[in-house]
Structure formats: C-alpha cells, structure tokens
Amino acid sequence: MADDKKSNSNREPESVSVQILPNFLSSVKLKYVKLGYHYLITHAMYLLITPLLCISLLHLHLSTITIDDLVHLWNHHLKLNDATLILCSSLLVFLPTLYFLTRPRKVYLLDFACFKPEPERMCTREIFMDRSAAAGTFTEENLAFQRKILERSGLGQKTYFPEAVLRVPPNPCMAEARKEAEMVMFGAIDDLFAKTGVKAKDIGILIVNCSLFNPTPSLSAMVVNRYKLRGNVLSFNLGGMGCSAGLISIDLAKQLLQVHPNSYALVVSMENITLNWYFGNNRSMLVSNCLFRMGGAAILLSNRHTDRRRSKYLLLHTVRTHKGADDKSYACVYQQEDDTGHIGVALSKDLMAVAGEALKTNITTLGPLVLPMSEQLLFFATLVARKALKMNKIKPYIPDFKMAFEHFCIHSGGRAVLDELEKNLELSDWHMEPSRMTLYRFGNTSSSSLWYELAYLEAKGRIKKGDRTWQIAFGSGFKCNSAVWQALQTVDPTKKKKNPWIDEIHEFPVHVPKVAQII
C-alpha cells in the first residue's frame, strides 16, 4: 500500500483539459446506488401513498363542508341504534381478544452458556498425532493421512479431548462417556443458571441433543436427576441428527412454547467423543477423528412477555430443510462398521455437493422471509429472464444476504465448508471470522459450534441492539437448518464474565495458514 501511495505521489498531474470518466465498477460510491434502489423498492408503498394522502387532505380542506352537512350525515348515515351499538361494542372487544389469544407467542433467548474444558484436556496437533500413533491400530499410511488432514484442517493448538481419549492407552468405555457427558452438560447448565438467575424448578421444557451417544437412562434424564427438575417437565432427547441438531432443538422448543404459556425451555446441545473415536483404517471414517472435538452449550428460552427486557435475543425465524428422501443425501454421512468391525462415521465424497443442494433449498425458503424487496425483485427478474425468456447469457443473481443480516454464524464443520460458503454467499473475512476462529480455537464441536461463534461476537463487542444474526448448520440425514435472531440489547462484553472467549479474546483474530506443519 505504501509503495502504491508513493508511486501515485510521483505521478505527473493530468492536463485539466482531459476528462477521464470514473470507473463505476470500482467506485466506492456505487454502493449508494444499490442502497438507494433498496430504499426505493422497500418503501415504495409509503412513497406512493404519501402524495395521495396529502392530495386527499388538501381536497378535504378546500371543500365547502358546513355544520348542516355534518348534522345531516350523522342523522341519516352514522347514527346508531341500540342493537347496532351493542354489536359494534362486542366486536371491538371480541376481535382484539381473538387476535391476542391466537397470535404466535414471541420466543426470547434469555442467555446461553458454552462449556470450556479445563486446561488438562487441551490437545495440540502434536499430541493428537502422538496419541494416534500410541493407539497402535493405525497403519503408517493412515497416520500420514491423518497428519495431512490435520495440517490443513484449520484447527489450532488449543482444542480439547476427553480424558479417555488422551490416556495411553485410550480407555473408551460407557463410564468414561457418561463422565464426559456430565462434565459438558452440567458445566454449561451451571453457568447458564448462574447468568440468568432462573431456578431449575422453573424449567418446563427440556431438550437435549447428542448425535452419537444415547445411553439409558437418557441424557435428558441425567439432567432431570441432577437438577431435580419438576415431575411434569416436558423432556426430549434427540439422537442421531448430526451437527444441525442444535437448531432442530431450538425449533422444537419454539413449537412447544407456542402451546405452553409462561414457560422456560432449556436446550442443551453437545456431542460425545469418548465412545466415538474411530480405531480403524477406513480413510472416509478417519476424517472425523481429525475434526471433532469436545464441547457443548446450554440455551434458555422463554415465552414470557415480562422476560423481554432482560433477554438478549428475539427468535425471528427457523427454517428446516431435510433431503433424506434422496438416497445420495441420506448416505453421505453414515455410521457403520468397517471391514474389521470398528464402528465409525463415514463421510461420502458427495458430501460437499449434497450440502450445496441442501443450502440452496434452505436459503430459497429463508430468502422471502428476510431479504428486502429490492433483492427479491432482482432475484425474481433474473430467474424469469433465464427460465421463461431463455436468456441464458444472464448470470443467475445471488441475493445479497448481507442486506438482511449483520452477523453470520456458520457451523464450523471444516475449512472446506467455510471456504465454499464464503465464496457462494460472497461474504467477507469479517463475516467469516466467528466461524473460522471457532474452528481454530475449539474445533468442530458439532451442534454446539454455533453458540461458540455467537459467544465470539459478544466477546468482540459486535452485537448491537437491533442486529440480526443468521445461524446455519448442516447435519447427517442430510439436513440444513437456519435460525434468525434479533438482538434486543447491546451486549457489553465487559459485563459478561462467563464467556469461553473472554480471557483470550484480545488474541483474536489470528492468521490461520493453509498448511500448519506438525513438528
């Protein structure tokens, strides 16, 4: 940049008689043209009605209406008899009451908490490779394969593994898996109750999602037992639904809060690593070992109107897309045994293509709910031109979702997924920062990753009152789910102590190299 400025300063001045047209494509002021178009289309109704209203008022003011005309109008047209008066009064009471009772209840997010394991659970890339080699089950070729994946994964040196996996030799068993689940769930829930001041006995709805660990009694029963939740609590345990299960839980809680007034819903999202570490040599199953890490989150929702003032966010929309009817989509993330009997989760080579189709369907549904009218018209116009008028030279228009959202929390499933979404949605490094830093610092924590990303935005002080945040996640099945939140307050990071980033947020963002060599 400095060299550019220097060369510009040494350049001889142009002759004043020569006029050079500006490059409109690179001009910064071009954005105002788009903003103006957006304003014109979005406010078209008001721009059309306002002049008509002014003309009507002016005509009324200039008309020659006398007192006698008003009296005649009342006596012959507006005067009500007793029956009409009673009917009108009843309607005035009945219709607002009907609207109040049948309108959708607003769902508020009071607060959320993300579990941050103790430093002893930290796993560097070198420790990962050392424990993989010490397991004694991987061939040299597959150890080299894991090293290559890990070096290009975008994961940093401070991700976390459960104790059973870090031991030499590893000790994957039911007792250790329960220990990990209790540590993650109870750690997050304890922090959440401390932040909100809500008592356990006030929880009316409990939803726990964990894809690969489903013991008996269930994880939700473990929470009920630990916190002595009331006997009529509505308890749900979601399993096998992949990394997008967190938003499925949010949507389920939203639906339940519509029919259970004055209720609190506790949502817990996590994944369990202990019993799902793959010890075989099928490469499609080894990728999960390199990406998934320990983590979890607890979220408290409410439909109480009195909670609005102390809530952080309002849930605006949830959109769920399921591609399970297609065989390729159904099988692209599949838990099975390999040839030697080791259980693992196989990732198909079709995964990226399937995820792209699911994303396209999801944002096509979400777009009309959130995009300004200007973007919708541009998208519709190009669609008609290409499909109906056969004008194939016109490129398909990708709506600018940056005009609908201030922040993006994209599931940090892996570097390749983030790269593709950044390119397809035309997002900036700033928009992708929460997802990339979450992948770097905590790894792929499955369904809870979206909450580590939102916690990053809060720790950075970026959440302002009125801001809209789009959470989007992918999961086995194959599913793509979205949630849209609106901030009800400006989040002050200095007042939020129980945030997994708060002690180290000054270190971020960091540069993540394309290849991080393992020593």
Side-chain angles (χ1 to χ4, degrees), residues 115 117 121 159-163 179-181 183-184 271 273 292-296 442 444-445 448 452:
F115 175 68
R121 304 280 76 80
T159 59
Y160 299 99
F161 264 134
E163 181 181 358
K179 181 179 177 181
E180 179 192 351
M183 181 188 305
V184 174
E271 193 51 84
I273 304 296
F292 282 90
R293 296 294 184 268
M294 184 179 180
F442 293 98
N444 181 351
T445 60
S448 66
Y452 287 91

Side-chain angles (χ1 to χ4, degrees), residues 99-159:
Y99 168 76
F100 180 79
L101 293 176
T102 59
R103 66 176 180 174
R105 289 187 173 93
K106 293 184 178 180
V107 176
Y108 304 104
L109 191 158
L110 271 73
D111 214 328
F112 66 96
C114 298
F115 175 68
K116 187 175 184 178
E118 56 193 10
E120 289 75 15
R121 304 280 76 80
M122 203 169 284
C123 179
T124 64
R125 292 186 289 268
E126 287 73 22
I127 290 177
F128 176 91
M129 291 306 305
D130 177 74
R131 297 300 186 272
S132 295
T137 62
F138 303 114
T139 65
E140 288 298 325
E141 293 78 8
N142 281 326
L143 284 173
F145 173 76
Q146 291 182 77
R147 176 187 294 269
K148 181 178 180 180
I149 293 294
L150 193 60
E151 288 177 337
R152 292 160 176 79
S153 65
L155 274 67
Q157 294 285 65
K158 295 183 178 182
T159 59

Side-chain angles (χ1 to χ4, degrees), residues 496-513:
K496 305 297 178 184
K497 301 301 181 184
K498 293 184 180 296
N499 184 309
W501 298 91
I502 203 66
D503 296 331
E504 50 189 294
I505 192 62
H506 60 281
E507 301 175 7
F508 293 91
V510 299
H511 171 67
V512 182

Side-chain angles (χ1 to χ4, degrees), residues 31-151:
K31 65 180 181 180
Y32 298 116
V33 177
K34 190 170 187 178
L35 288 174
Y37 175 73
H38 157 60
Y39 184 88
L40 176 65
I41 298 299
T42 305
H43 298 84
M45 180 183 297
Y46 305 103
L47 294 175
L48 290 173
I49 290 178
T50 301
L52 294 176
L53 183 60
C54 292
I55 292 173
S56 300
L57 291 175
L58 182 61
H59 177 73
L60 180 63
H61 177 72
L62 296 177
S63 63
T64 56
I65 297 178
T66 64
I67 298 298
D68 293 336
D69 295 330
L70 294 175
V71 172
H72 181 270
L73 181 65
W74 168 260
N75 289 330
H76 291 81
H77 300 284
L78 302 179
K79 192 173 183 178
L80 304 175
N81 55 38
D82 292 341
T84 306
L85 182 62
I86 293 173
L87 178 61
C88 292
S89 300
S90 300
L91 286 174
L92 286 175
V93 174
F94 174 74
L95 292 177
T97 303
L98 180 65
Y99 168 76
F100 180 79
L101 293 176
T102 59
R103 66 176 180 174
R105 289 187 173 93
K106 293 184 178 180
V107 176
Y108 304 104
L109 191 158
L110 271 73
D111 214 328
F112 66 96
C114 298
F115 175 68
K116 187 175 184 178
E118 56 193 10
E120 289 75 15
R121 304 280 76 80
M122 203 169 284
C123 179
T124 64
R125 292 186 289 268
E126 287 73 22
I127 290 177
F128 176 91
M129 291 306 305
D130 177 74
R131 297 300 186 272
S132 295
T137 62
F138 303 114
T139 65
E140 288 298 325
E141 293 78 8
N142 281 326
L143 284 173
F145 173 76
Q146 291 182 77
R147 176 187 294 269
K148 181 178 180 180
I149 293 294
L150 193 60
E151 288 177 337

